[in-house]
Amino acid sequence: MSLVLDVRDATKVYGVGETAVHALRGVSLQVEPGDYVAIMGASGSGKSTLMNIIGCLDVPSAGGFHLDGVDVGGLDDRQQAVVRNRKIGFVFQSFNLIPRMSALMNVELPLAYGGVKPAERRRRALASLELVGLADRVNHQPNELSGGQQQRVAIARALVNSPTLLLADEPTGALDSTSTLDVLGIFDRLSAAGRTIVVITHEPDVAEHAKRVVRLRDGRIIEDTRLAPVDGLPPRLKEVTA
Amino acid sequence: MSAIEIVRFAIRGLAANKMRSALTTLGILIGVAAVILLVAVGEGSSQSIQKNIAQLGANTLTVSASTQGGGRFGGQQQQSSGPRTQAKALTVDDARALADKAAAPNVTSVSPVVSANSQTASYEGASHTISQVVGTYPSYFEASNKPVAKGAYFFNDDVLAARKVIVIGQTVAENLFGAVDPVGKQITITGVPFTVVGVLKEAGSSSGFQDADDVAIAPLPSVQQSLTGFGPLNQILVKAASADDVDAAQAEITSVLDQRHGIGGAVSADYQILNQATLQETVSAATSTFTVLLAAVAAISLLVGGIGITNIMLVTVTERTREIGIRKAIGAPRGAILGQFLVEATLLSLIGGLLGVAIAVVGAQFTIAGITPVVVPSSVVLALGVSVAIGLFFGSYPANRAAKLRPIEALRFE
Ligand SMILES: Nc1ncnc2c1ncn2[C@@H]1O[C@H](COP(=O)(O)OP(=O)(O)OP(=O)(O)O)[C@@H](O)[C@H]1O
Ligand SMILES: [Mg+2]
């Protein structure tokens, strides 16, 4: 089976000389289609650094990675923009919605950059918002939504292009327990539907929802545990749907 | 991602910050309107002056005394020094000599002129200060292109008899008589009674500095007797047979006057001859300096508007760096980001520019400081072109900087 994600010995060094910070010291990670991976680790262990590289937001200092069989390091600026647009859906801890734009327009934005026609765009954006349970909030601006609702809009935006890989960097870090459950429920259902997800988290509760848990320390993978089979259902699905 | 889409994003970006967009637009608007309007005022004043000069008639020459000429002690009023070293005033005899067909065959008419400025005239209690009372011969009316609208000119007989008859300009007629027909009425100018025989046709165009209709014209000796005294002439108006004969006429006048005033060798001319062409050259040189000066002031305000755009674009881009990061993270290509900010800057300057043109064109319909502005099309094109160029140029630096950021750099930006 072809891998969705294949990171080979990636390193990342910030700065030079004595002040250089080795955020990643050779990380290799393979993710199969349909897997649901939680990345855990202490603060400063390099989780976000790894995630930004996978999401094409940053480049590794050395080592390469293939996304859906394509060597991303070899792509030019334009092609990388297309990868970010089509293959990756990124959910941030701080939501990162564009202010003064309605939920609908925020969700339509990746489609607009992808060159989708307005009518089709609207249809898909509404479907995506429906999926996260926000069909009744489409015309609200981010500052008119709760944190949990904003994060669900952000998830709708990440999903709207049907990306190969859904990445989330501490998606529940800024949410209360109810909103956290909402978001985890969405992720579990997406996983059950076969979508590939990589999520960073501090909380063991959140990690328990994944099929596989990867632990980082000081820029290295120290543990890789499988909680459920790749082609099975996520372990806590029944709980969140009940 | 189509161009229309990018324009729509740009408009949304501008609408998100209406106050700031409006103020930036205002800066450009003022710059553009100032350029167009000030150039229009310059052009308007220059045109009206040119028109006044054109009214002189193409084949008219004006001879006037020059204070620089004559000997070292030159001065019109000085009578005591030797004749070779002293400027001579223009006299009626000079005028008669110029009218001599044998000496000056290209001259058709000669009108000696004296004038008295700011004379108070009154009629039955109404009073008005006439800015210029001219004493001359009947030929003056034709030579100076001043037809009468009502009544008639005075005649040679009136000059010979020094009759107190007078032809008045429109302004004088309105101020002294209102709706009453002035012809045949008697007015007094500094106590001397004159009978109005005619009213001049309205000259209309005032240069903004002087009302061409605020004049009165009377026979030469009458004005000398009552207002100016029998001193030197202020000028002699000479009409050449045709526009082609002006140069020949000027040569004849020069030789006649040189001989009569003893000019030649070390003694420079104590008179000067102006014709319409030289007058127009002098004046257009002066007015174009004036226009350039106005345009320079206006150009500076346009530049200030341009700096305003750069400033706003820099602030906008910096403030929206996170937003740029988000857009890039979800797959916006560099071109779309660059396009959006460039279109934002261009729209600001284009809207400002177009509003500026509209305001300038409306403003040009009004009379400004006595001048009717004349909009110069090239100034409109230039101002608009410059404002858009400013938007593009000053907008491209921040826009380019924004588009080049890596997504993570933009997202981490504080
Ligand atoms: N832009 C940067 N410049 C310099 N050093 C950086 C930069 N970003 C991260 N680092 C360093 O790299 C290391 C890993 O950072 P990273 O953000 O990946 O940690 P993390 O695992 O996400 O931590 P947290 O759980 O607190 O979010 C840290 O020591 C951090 O100080
Ligand atoms: Mg982190």
Side-chain angles (χ1 to χ4, degrees):
Chain A
M1 212 199 274
S2 69
L3 296 168
V4 172
L5 181 66
D6 184 6
V7 182
R8 289 274 160 83
D9 206 23
T11 63
K12 179 74 184 179
V13 184
Y14 292 111
V16 285
E18 291 186 10
T19 57
V21 178
H22 293 263
L24 293 181
R25 304 169 188 265
V27 171
S28 295
L29 180 69
Q30 281 75 40
V31 178
E32 290 170 67
D35 208 351
Y36 183 178
V37 183
I39 297 177
M40 296 195 70
S43 186
S45 56
K47 307 183 295 292
S48 295
T49 306
L50 177 62
M51 196 64 131
N52 292 336
I53 290 172
I54 298 172
C56 281
L57 304 181
D58 208 349
V59 288
S61 307
F65 85 103
H66 287 68
L67 194 71
D68 214 10
V70 180
D71 179 11
V72 176
L75 301 180
D76 68 16
D77 203 72
R78 265 191 84 81
Q79 291 166 322
Q80 283 199 12
V82 173
V83 168
R84 286 194 282 266
N85 188 247
R86 298 278 163 77
K87 306 219 163 180
I88 291 166
F90 211 115
V91 179
F92 301 88
Q93 179 175 0
S94 52
F95 321 139
N96 276 348
L97 297 177
I98 295 180
R100 287 185 289 270
M101 270 174 82
S102 70
L104 184 63
M105 286 204 295
N106 262 291
V107 177
E108 278 188 16
L109 207 53
L111 298 171
Y113 286 124
V116 178
K117 292 259 165 0
E120 170 72 0
R121 219 188 273 172
R122 202 179 167 77
R123 195 186 61 74
R124 280 166 66 178
L126 285 172
S128 197
L129 281 163
E130 175 96 56
L131 191 78
V132 297
L134 279 179
D136 56 338
R137 289 281 193 285
V138 293
N139 290 318
H140 287 60
Q141 298 197 347
N143 59 1
E144 298 162 352
L145 296 171
S146 75
Q149 287 169 335
Q150 288 187 55
Q151 192 61 301
R152 283 191 275 158
V153 173
I155 295 170
R157 184 179 66 186
L159 289 174
V160 75
N161 248 337
S162 313
T164 333
L165 186 59
L166 181 65
L167 302 175
D169 189 347
E170 303 195 31
T172 59
L175 303 181
D176 65 12
S177 54
T178 326
S179 300
T180 299
L181 278 180
D182 283 348
V183 168
L184 290 176
I186 293 169
F187 280 9
D188 282 3
R189 269 179 274 128
L190 287 170
S191 176
R195 200 162 292 288
T196 314
I197 302 171
V198 177
V199 60
I200 290 180
T201 185
H202 267 126
E203 301 155 61
D205 286 357
V206 174
E208 280 168 17
H209 286 254
K211 299 176 185 174
R212 176 184 171 194
V213 177
V214 173
R215 257 176 223 288
L216 279 183
R217 183 189 291 160
D218 291 337
R220 289 199 181 86
I221 292 179
I222 52 156
E223 196 188 316
D224 193 340
T225 325
R226 181 156 291 284
L227 304 181
V230 177
D231 45 7
L233 292 175
R236 306 274 295 263
L237 179 68
K238 284 193 200 73
E239 253 169 74
V240 294
T241 46
Chain B
M1 184 95 215
S2 66
I4 300 168
E5 208 93 50
I6 290 178
V7 172
R8 204 176 300 153
F9 278 174
I11 291 172
R12 211 172 282 151
L14 294 179
N17 224 318
K18 293 195 185 64
M19 187 64 170
R20 183 188 291 171
S21 303
L23 286 175
T24 314
T25 307
L26 189 67
I28 287 290
L29 181 158
I30 290 171
V32 168
V35 168
I36 296 172
L37 216 49
L38 289 184
V39 170
V41 167
E43 179 67 17
S45 70
S46 136
Q47 274 191 13
S48 83
I49 292 171
Q50 296 288 4
K51 207 154 108 197
N52 280 0
I53 296 170
Q55 270 179 355
L56 265 183
N59 39 5
T60 307
L61 293 155
T62 310
V63 183
S64 53
S66 157
T67 46
Q68 283 147 15
R72 268 178 297 156
F73 315 105
Q76 282 161 285
Q77 314 299 343
Q78 248 173 309
Q79 303 283 310
S80 54
S81 311
R84 300 289 290 158
T85 57
Q86 179 202 329
K88 288 190 181 167
L90 293 170
T91 62
V92 178
D93 286 340
D94 286 332
R96 275 199 200 105
L98 293 176
D100 179 359
K101 276 287 169 214
N106 287 301
V107 170
T108 24
S109 80
V110 178
S111 323
V113 175
V114 294
S115 58
N117 293 330
S118 305
Q119 299 296 318
T120 306
S122 56
Y123 169 75
E124 287 187 351
S127 117
H128 168 68
T129 302
I130 306 173
S131 72
Q132 197 181 35
V133 178
V134 171
T136 186
Y137 288 180
S139 57
Y140 176 85
F141 292 100
E142 204 209 329
S144 65
N145 203 3
K146 282 186 164 62
V148 290
K150 251 187 265 174
Y153 305 125
F154 52 81
F155 304 103
N156 281 329
D157 276 357
D158 300 314
V159 177
L160 290 175
R163 289 201 187 103
K164 302 283 191 291
V165 291
I166 197 159
V167 177
I168 58 177
Q170 280 291 346
T171 305
V172 182
E174 276 162 27
N175 284 320
L176 286 183
F177 295 95
V180 180
D181 181 4
V183 177
K185 305 282 189 307
Q186 203 167 61
I187 60 173
T188 50
I189 299 177
T190 54
V192 183
F194 279 88
T195 307
V196 178
V197 293
V199 179
L200 291 173
K201 193 158 168 275
E202 190 166 4
S205 73
S206 79
S207 63
F209 309 111
Q210 191 185 356
D211 181 359
D213 290 313
D214 195 9
V215 289
I217 302 164
L220 177 70
S222 323
V223 173
Q224 287 178 315
Q225 270 175 20
S226 53
L227 301 173
T228 63
F230 291 88
L233 299 176
N234 293 73
Q235 49 178 226
I236 302 174
L237 212 60
V238 180
K239 193 164 186 285
S242 75
D244 295 336
D245 299 328
V246 166
D247 289 342
Q250 182 158 357
E252 290 159 14
I253 296 166
T254 309
S255 80
V256 169
L257 290 181
D258 278 0
Q259 196 212 333
R260 290 182 55 83
H261 289 204
I263 308 297
V267 189
S268 60
D270 52 6
Y271 61 90
Q272 58 186 10
I273 306 172
L274 286 179
N275 63 40
Q276 194 201 36
T278 53
L279 205 60
Q280 257 167 356
E281 272 168 36
T282 323
V283 172
S284 74
T287 55
S288 73
T289 316
F290 176 60
T291 306
V292 164
L293 207 71
L294 288 180
V297 171
I300 289 171
S301 70
L302 194 57
L303 188 72
V304 171
I307 293 169
I309 285 200
T310 324
N311 189 16
I312 290 305
M313 288 316 292
L314 271 173
V315 170
T316 305
V317 167
T318 311
E319 200 185 66
R320 283 160 65 189
T321 304
R322 252 182 94 80
E323 179 188 325
I324 292 166
I326 299 169
R327 285 173 183 273
K328 294 201 91 168
I330 61 174
R334 184 184 292 190
I337 303 277
L338 184 65
Q340 177 181 343
F341 284 95
L342 271 190
V343 171
E344 276 189 25
T346 310
L347 274 180
L348 278 183
S349 55
L350 192 66
I351 292 170
L354 286 174
L355 286 176
V357 170
I359 284 176
V361 168
V362 170
Q365 307 307 311
F366 299 95
T367 306
I368 299 165
I371 296 163
T372 311
V374 178
V375 174
V376 187
S378 65
S379 77
V380 175
V381 173
L382 191 79
L384 208 56
V386 166
S387 75
V388 171
I390 280 176
L392 272 176
F393 182 77
F394 289 119
S396 66
Y397 166 65
N400 202 29
R401 214 180 58 168
K404 275 216 297 254
L405 287 174
R406 257 192 289 147
I408 195 68
E409 292 168 340
L411 281 171
R412 285 224 185 98
F413 189 86
E414 291 302 316

